[in-house]
Amino acid sequence: MPTDQLVTKFRAVDTTAICDADKSTRVLDSAIRPRSAEPRIFGPAFTVRCRGDFLAVLRAVETAAPGDVLVVDGGGADIAFAGELFARGALVRGLGGIIVDGGYRDIAYVRDCALPVYSRFVTPMAGSTSQLGQLQIPVRCGGVEVAPGDLILADAEGVIVVDPERIEALLDTAAAVKGAEAELVALLDAGSTLSDGLNVAEHTAALERGEPSALRFLV
């Protein structure tokens, strides 16, 4: 589980700042969208792999630890691997969220649910319950590899995956990005232009000369 200090650091940033801090960040396919009232997630992955059958998801709800985030590799199938009952069950057990590369249903309940729920599809048709599936193995969800224990971070922008050993440094860098952005926003609010806060002219000239360069904040 992330420490209270890390949770506080994540609250001060967002997934966009984290992606700006590290362009190699694993980002789930943008088709996997929030379906519930609460989009924000920060917790370790409890992975599930299943195909056309949601028994493994039920098993995961009942065996994952409080704070764990279910990451379901459903193969991107347009069938529901979970719904209202699973969301209610996950809330009872204190789970950190459910992310499904596949379908979710019972959106009339889920849209106001406090549990963060993400899915690729919304559909009324559920799978079967006759296959065990696999728990706590490396999976592919939303086009990226996710291993058990990887940290899952999500907000209204999307879902990202971070190696646990890198999270604190990454959050610190993301905080610096947010700080620089806030200073630029203050300049813009005062009537300055983007070029007053970014090295646009210098960066453009360097690229035109074929020289290496990077766009950066001047504030």
Side-chain angles (χ1 to χ4, degrees):
M1 281 290 294
T3 64
D4 290 343
Q5 180 184 19
L6 289 177
V7 171
T8 299
K9 287 185 176 185
F10 180 48
R11 286 176 181 156
V13 299
D14 50 32
T15 56
T16 60
I18 294 171
C19 288
D20 286 349
D22 182 2
K23 294 297 186 182
S24 68
T25 299
R26 287 172 282 171
V27 180
L28 269 62
D29 191 324
S30 60
I32 297 180
R33 300 304 303 158
R35 307 298 178 183
S36 55
E38 175 53 67
R40 207 163 180 86
I41 292 175
F42 185 17
F46 187 101
T47 59
V48 182
R49 178 180 289 156
C50 48
R51 293 293 183 269
D53 189 289
F54 64 86
L55 180 58
V57 184
L58 172 57
R59 294 170 56 216
V61 170
E62 291 299 285
T63 57
D68 282 354
V69 179
L70 301 194
V71 178
V72 181
D73 172 5
D78 192 2
I79 62 170
F81 291 92
E84 176 180 351
L85 296 180
F86 285 17
R88 289 182 181 273
L91 283 170
V92 168
R93 291 187 51 80
L95 303 189
I98 300 177
I99 299 170
V100 181
D101 195 344
Y104 212 98
R105 68 178 188 175
D106 302 326
I107 296 302
Y109 167 79
V110 172
R111 69 165 59 99
D112 296 319
C113 179
L115 179 81
V117 172
Y118 284 73
S119 71
R120 184 178 291 274
F121 304 108
V122 172
T123 176
M125 180 58 72
S128 59
T129 55
S130 58
Q131 301 175 31
L132 288 174
Q134 296 170 289
L135 305 181
Q136 291 293 72
I137 63 167
V139 298
R140 190 168 182 83
C141 183
V144 304
E145 301 297 325
V146 183
D150 279 348
L151 286 176
I152 307 300
L153 290 75
D155 54 27
E157 304 289 344
V159 184
I160 64 176
V161 185
V162 177
D163 295 331
E165 62 272 14
R166 299 189 61 236
I167 186 62
E168 186 161 16
L170 191 54
L171 288 175
D172 287 342
T173 304
V177 170
K178 292 296 289 185
E181 288 178 346
E183 292 186 41
L184 179 54
V185 167
L187 284 177
L188 294 170
D189 286 346
S192 296
T193 69
L194 287 171
S195 293
D196 292 323
L198 296 167
N199 66 329
V200 179
E202 176 189 341
H203 179 52
T204 300
L207 293 178
E208 288 175 342
R209 293 192 299 268
E211 299 173 358
S213 181
L215 187 67
R216 57 183 175 81
F217 292 103
L218 298 175
V219 291

